[in-house]
Amino acid sequence: MHPSRPAFWVSPVLCAAVLVAGVYAALVGLGTTHLPLLVGGLVALVVLDLAEFRRYPVRTPKPVAAGLLALRAVLYVGVAYVDGSGLARLLLLLLPFTAYFAFGRTVAVVLGAACLAVAVVSTPDWYAHVEQVSDLVMFTVGLVLTIATAAVAVRERDGRIRLQESHRTVAELSAAAERARVARDLHDDLGHHLTAIVVQLEKAAAFHDHEPAVAKTAVLDAERSARRALNDVRASVRSLRSFDLLTALDDLAGDDVVLVVSGSPDGHDTGALHALYRAAQEGITNARRHAAATRIEVRVELDAEGAKLTVSDDGRGMGTAAEGFGLLGMRERVALAGGRVDLAGTSPGTRLTVTIPGPA
């Protein structure tokens, strides 16, 4: 049975109880029991339940549920008519119980009241017999319990549906976040190295005729940048579980970068350290590519209160150009780490500041 179908066992259990009581009544001669008809009616009810649950494992559409409810009512009355034990009228409890799943509490309560009225009308002079009064009281209690059980089952079913929807939403958000992370990594890794390659190749082209040695050195630097790009791509494909910020910054810094680090990365979240590294990478790339800077300083401060990165240069400043994908990705990455990004123009140059609070 589909796990999303709540309380599917109630109807088969009641049918089994009626069958046992009917067989016993037929064996001892209690009342008039037409055993073949009783068994056939109960089997029909169970098959009907199984067919509905298989076709509609979570919720039966209202038009279909109304037709099945009417068919069940006919079968319940027929089974009660051929049962000599009198227990078959308990099957009427299944009418409000089943109706609750498709139509809600109001319809279930109305049907429960109707079933109680039928039970009272079909028991003449019930008030004059203690046994019949007791039976009606128990029938009323059974109605209350079945409606309450249906209410709990419906809440459980709706809760499962909401939980499944939440799981789907989380999966979609996770996939979107992963796509954004991959996009940031591609831009930060490949963008940085490709920029260096372009700069070196432009330098080689400019000095090719006048200073071949300088041009050759630029080509070799471009080759090294290409190899670094390849290594970074391979490293990104692997799921890195450790990250050494200081080593990564040393590899990132070149001859035109002054690196100053104070404090220790121990105790800081790996995601925060990655965010700092990516911010440094983006700041250095922008300073080299757009600001025409001759001096770049990267300062990292790590302490118990948090982590702070400052990238400053002596280039031509920010100007009025809009922020590109690199800065957008950096802001997203730092925001995910709980930090903030400040970008300001200086005289001369630009200063990028990233601040990430320490772990709680």
Side-chain angles (χ1 to χ4, degrees):
M1 194 67 62
H2 198 284
S4 296
R5 187 60 144 179
F8 64 89
W9 49 268
V10 174
S11 178
V13 167
L14 281 182
C15 289
V18 171
L19 177 62
V20 171
V23 171
Y24 175 78
L27 292 177
V28 301
L30 180 63
T32 304
T33 300
H34 302 280
L35 195 57
L37 294 177
L38 176 66
V39 174
L42 293 174
V43 170
L45 285 172
V46 173
V47 170
L48 181 63
D49 289 339
L50 292 176
E52 179 187 4
F53 296 168
R54 184 178 296 275
R55 179 63 180 84
Y56 306 105
V58 178
R59 183 186 290 115
T60 305
K62 290 185 177 181
V64 178
L68 294 177
L69 195 64
L71 179 58
R72 284 190 174 95
V74 172
L75 290 173
Y76 294 155
V77 173
V79 170
Y81 181 77
V82 299
D83 176 35
S85 68
L87 189 65
R89 71 176 181 175
L90 289 178
L91 294 176
L92 292 175
L93 299 176
L94 295 175
L95 285 177
F97 177 81
T98 305
Y100 203 116
F101 294 102
F103 304 104
R105 180 176 58 187
T106 301
V107 175
V109 171
V110 171
L111 277 178
C115 291
L116 181 59
V118 170
V120 171
V121 171
S122 62
T123 310
D125 299 329
W126 57 269
Y127 48 83
H129 304 279
V130 176
E131 294 83 359
Q132 294 178 352
V133 171
S134 177
D135 289 343
L136 289 176
V137 170
M138 294 303 297
F139 186 79
T140 304
V141 172
L143 282 173
V144 173
L145 291 177
T146 53
I147 292 176
T149 302
V152 173
V154 166
R155 283 196 294 270
E156 179 189 5
R157 178 197 64 189
D158 294 344
R160 289 183 180 181
I161 293 175
R162 287 192 294 270
L163 183 60
Q164 292 172 357
E165 292 174 350
S166 298
H167 286 168
R168 285 194 294 269
T169 301
V170 169
E172 293 171 358
L173 291 176
S174 299
E178 183 65 14
R179 287 194 296 269
R181 184 193 67 80
V182 171
R184 289 192 297 267
D185 287 347
L186 286 175
H187 178 276
D188 294 342
D189 285 331
L190 294 181
H192 169 75
H193 292 296
L194 290 177
T195 298
I197 293 172
V198 169
V199 170
Q200 296 299 333
L201 291 179
E202 288 177 348
K203 182 178 179 180
F207 287 91
H208 180 268
D209 296 329
H210 305 291
E211 299 185 40
V214 175
K216 182 178 180 180
T217 301
V219 171
L220 293 177
D221 290 340
E223 180 186 2
R224 282 192 291 269
S225 294
R227 294 187 183 278
R228 288 178 182 174
L230 180 59
N231 291 333
D232 283 351
V233 169
R234 290 171 176 172
S236 297
V237 172
R238 297 190 299 267
S239 179
L240 297 179
R241 299 189 178 274
S242 61
F243 178 71
D244 189 340
L245 175 64
L246 303 184
T247 302
L249 289 176
D250 284 336
D251 292 339
L252 181 64
D255 295 336
D256 58 341
V257 177
V258 177
L259 177 62
V260 180
V261 179
S262 62
S264 171
D266 295 341
H268 290 270
D269 183 71
T270 303
L273 298 179
H274 268 108
L276 284 183
Y277 171 75
R278 295 302 187 186
Q281 190 178 52
E282 181 65 21
I284 292 173
T285 299
N286 286 341
R288 287 171 172 168
R289 182 176 184 180
H290 302 296
T294 59
R295 185 179 187 277
I296 305 171
E297 180 180 278
V298 176
R299 184 175 296 272
V300 180
E301 302 173 25
L302 303 167
D303 53 36
E305 295 182 359
K308 182 179 180 180
L309 167 77
T310 305
V311 181
S312 55
D313 64 68
D314 61 353
R316 55 174 172 257
M318 296 185 299
T320 59
E323 293 188 0
F325 291 111
L327 285 173
L328 175 61
M330 179 180 61
R331 292 186 184 277
E332 291 177 350
R333 191 187 302 275
V334 172
L336 289 175
R340 72 176 189 272
V341 176
D342 298 310
L343 188 62
T346 60
S347 182
T350 305
R351 182 174 60 249
L352 169 70
T353 305
V354 175
T355 306
I356 302 177

